[in-house]
Amino acid sequence: ISMVSSAAATIDRIEKNASRIEQNAKNASSKLKTRITKEEEAYNSESNELRNQKEAVENIQSEVNALTHTHGSLLNQDEEEQRKINLCKEEVAEEIEELDMIEVERMREVPRVKRAISMYAMFTGIKWNYDRDDMLEGIATIPTTKEIKRFSVNPELHSKFDVANTIWNSIEGRDKRLLSPNVE
């Protein structure tokens, strides 16, 4: 009997220990499940964040590639534009050189032209008024009558022949038919 009592007491202790171990295992299992759930949530969150960052990196890389391509194109365009600018500069330099040569030639011509104009003025007795571009104006000295007459002719309203005849007739003191009004 004592053995049975002792065996019953041992079974009782084993059952209590088994019950406590079972409760501890349930608590540990519950804590592990909670921790696993939290870790899975953290893993999913980090996976989503990593995926988003990976997409952002890919987008940035695409932008970098596009900008690199654009930069290369712009460099090519810049080189082409620089080449065109240099060609234009060369053309301008040539034009300036040509204009300078023309200017030198004109400066050489000025004394000759002045002499010619002076001779024409002495021969014709006309002193031209160069202030108006739209009219041929001046003062004519008529040697036969010693008169001084103003004249003004609009060359756009008459033929070159009529304008020349009118001026010569004015010099000679004859015809006034093409002279503009209010000129005497």
Side-chain angles (χ1 to χ4, degrees), residues 40-157:
E40 284 176 345
E41 289 172 359
Y43 170 78
N44 289 336
S45 174
E46 287 177 5
S47 292
N48 288 337
E49 181 64 27
L50 185 61
R51 191 175 318 109
N52 292 340
Q53 288 180 358
K54 185 177 179 182
E55 287 176 11
V57 167
E58 288 172 355
N59 290 339
I60 290 171
Q61 186 62 45
S62 295
E63 288 179 27
V64 166
N65 291 341
L67 289 174
T68 301
H69 181 268
T70 301
H71 177 55
S73 296
L74 290 175
L75 285 177
N76 290 339
Q77 284 179 343
D78 185 50
E79 289 174 5
E80 180 64 20
E81 294 302 318
Q82 277 302 119
R83 187 185 66 74
K84 288 178 182 177
I85 288 170
N86 290 336
L87 284 175
C88 287
K89 283 180 180 179
E90 289 173 12
E91 288 176 11
V92 166
E94 289 173 8
E95 291 291 327
I96 288 174
E97 187 176 323
E98 188 175 323
L99 288 174
D100 287 345
M101 290 189 317
I102 290 171
E103 185 68 25
V104 167
E105 281 298 314
R106 285 189 178 169
M107 293 305 286
R108 288 182 190 155
E109 293 283 324
V110 167
R112 187 184 66 74
V113 171
K114 280 184 177 180
R115 282 191 304 275
I117 290 173
S118 181
M119 282 181 15
Y120 292 140
M122 285 174 43
F123 174 71
T124 62
I126 294 176
K127 181 179 177 191
W128 292 99
N129 178 4
Y130 296 106
D131 292 338
R132 291 191 57 191
D133 292 335
D134 61 333
M135 298 289 281
L136 294 174
E137 290 185 334
I139 299 172
T141 304
I142 303 167
T144 56
T145 61
K146 304 224 189 252
E147 288 182 78
I148 297 175
K149 297 265 185 176
R150 289 185 177 274
F151 66 89
S152 178
V153 178
N154 187 338
E156 292 183 13
L157 298 178

